[in-house]
Amino acid sequence: MALILFYKEEVKKLITKMYAPADLISKEFRFTTHELTEKLLSILPKIEYNDVYEALLELGYEPQEEKPMEYYWYFRRKKE
């Protein structure tokens, strides 16, 4: 079993395999940083919120404000 040292890089790999950034119109999924981190914890047990946040920003995602002070990340599936 490989030892994972760079969790942010693993987050980026997992997300880029299947998803791309989306906007309000093209979104298929939306998550808060907290929701996405909780989902990734089943795969990456030591991941932290800041790892997920930084990875998403580096991949070109931008948090979108739906309601005052309520932000989501929008995703769409990659087309093959």
Side-chain angles (χ1 to χ4, degrees):
M1 181 180 204
L3 179 62
I4 300 172
L5 298 176
F6 303 102
Y7 292 101
K8 183 172 66 172
E9 294 304 316
E10 288 299 313
V11 168
K12 289 165 63 172
K13 284 181 195 174
L14 289 169
I15 291 171
T16 56
K17 282 183 185 178
M18 300 287 294
Y19 303 102
D23 57 22
L24 185 60
I25 306 299
S26 65
K27 74 174 171 143
E28 294 180 53
F29 307 98
R30 71 177 186 140
F31 299 107
T32 63
T33 304
H34 178 79
E35 291 169 338
L36 189 55
T37 303
E38 292 298 315
K39 289 185 177 298
L40 291 169
L41 278 170
S42 65
I43 300 168
L44 301 168
K46 291 193 177 204
I47 194 160
E48 296 181 11
Y49 299 114
N50 63 312
D51 294 325
V52 174
Y53 182 84
E54 289 174 12
L56 289 168
L57 289 177
E58 289 176 15
L59 290 172
Y61 289 82
E62 290 186 33
Q64 303 294 319
E65 186 176 33
E66 284 190 9
K67 296 178 184 172
M69 298 304 293
E70 191 172 300
Y71 291 87
Y72 291 90
W73 303 94
Y74 294 154
F75 300 85
R76 64 178 169 79
R77 287 189 180 114
K78 282 188 176 177
K79 304 212 188 236
E80 294 183 24

